[in-house]
Amino acid sequence: YMDAKEMNDTVAVKNIEIMYDSVQKAQSDFTKEFILKNGKSVVAAYLAISNAYAYSFDELKEINKAMDPSIANSPYVKKLAERETILESVQTGKPAPDFTMNDTLGNPVSLSSFKGQVVLVDFWASWCGPCRAENPNVVAAYKKFNNKGFTVFGVSLDDNKDKWMEAIAKDGLTWKHVSDLVGWSNAAAKQYGVMSIPASFLLDKEGIIIASNLRGDDLVKKLEEVLGK
């Protein structure tokens, strides 16, 4: 793959990506099938929590139902149940859980302070390649809809303030940013069940979650639906 990229062979790169995605999906499907068929095994529970970032709320519910009562005391089973509870609280139609975190100047900012605006709660980090690649799309949406009552609330999973500030400036992210600078232990990320980034939640003016993980044109289309073209 790296050789093809170095030679700028876009056809080979695309073919390898397709092959990789196919293998990854086969592995994911096999793992999930194993979990569902082996509900009495703590190995299945361990695999489930290890891959929990990849499972939707409905898939997680299915997996939790498959766990046998005989392993109910396993820490892996308990963590799976906890994750289901967290994900349930951030489903579309639910009020977004409030949180307060310090901004770049060290001042506390609460999510609830944005009530009255349509808000994209955007979990990202300076070290996250896919996040940085998505930032131009978020910037474009912000510029297009900000004067109609849309804003972004950036929550960083950085642990280095200088790199965080540098990325904000470099990517032109002119909205409000917060972080507790503890990386993956970020309190808001845990509260929202974020296990991979970029991750985002779109809230209406009342603070109700109306969509999650919208990217590129999908974010623009949803904002057009909510705020008008």
Side-chain angles (χ1 to χ4, degrees), residues 102-106 124-127 132 135 156 158-179 181:
N102 287 350
D103 65 12
T104 55
L105 298 174
W124 73 295
S126 66
W127 45 259
R132 302 293 295 274
N135 277 344
S156 170
D158 273 281
D159 58 11
N160 182 305
K161 187 172 183 180
D162 290 339
K163 289 182 179 177
W164 173 40
M165 299 282 285
E166 183 185 328
I168 291 171
K170 189 172 183 181
D171 292 4
L173 313 180
T174 56
W175 46 82
K176 182 63 76 174
H177 294 270
V178 295
S179 181
L181 295 171

Side-chain angles (χ1 to χ4, degrees), residues 202-213:
L202 186 65
L203 319 184
D204 69 11
K205 293 180 180 182
E206 298 303 316
I208 305 298
I209 298 169
I210 54 175
S212 59
N213 296 321

Side-chain angles (χ1 to χ4, degrees), residues 125-197:
S126 66
W127 45 259
C128 167
C131 303
R132 302 293 295 274
E134 181 61 23
N135 277 344
N137 295 326
V138 182
V139 169
Y142 178 78
K143 287 179 177 176
K144 186 172 183 179
F145 295 98
N146 181 234
N147 63 357
K148 291 188 173 186
F150 169 66
T151 193
V152 182
F153 189 30
V155 184
S156 170
L157 274 64
D158 273 281
D159 58 11
N160 182 305
K161 187 172 183 180
D162 290 339
K163 289 182 179 177
W164 173 40
M165 299 282 285
E166 183 185 328
I168 291 171
K170 189 172 183 181
D171 292 4
L173 313 180
T174 56
W175 46 82
K176 182 63 76 174
H177 294 270
V178 295
S179 181
D180 50 14
L181 295 171
V182 290
W184 280 109
S185 296
N186 181 281
K190 285 186 171 184
Q191 192 176 357
Y192 277 69
V194 172
M195 292 180 75
S196 63
I197 52 175

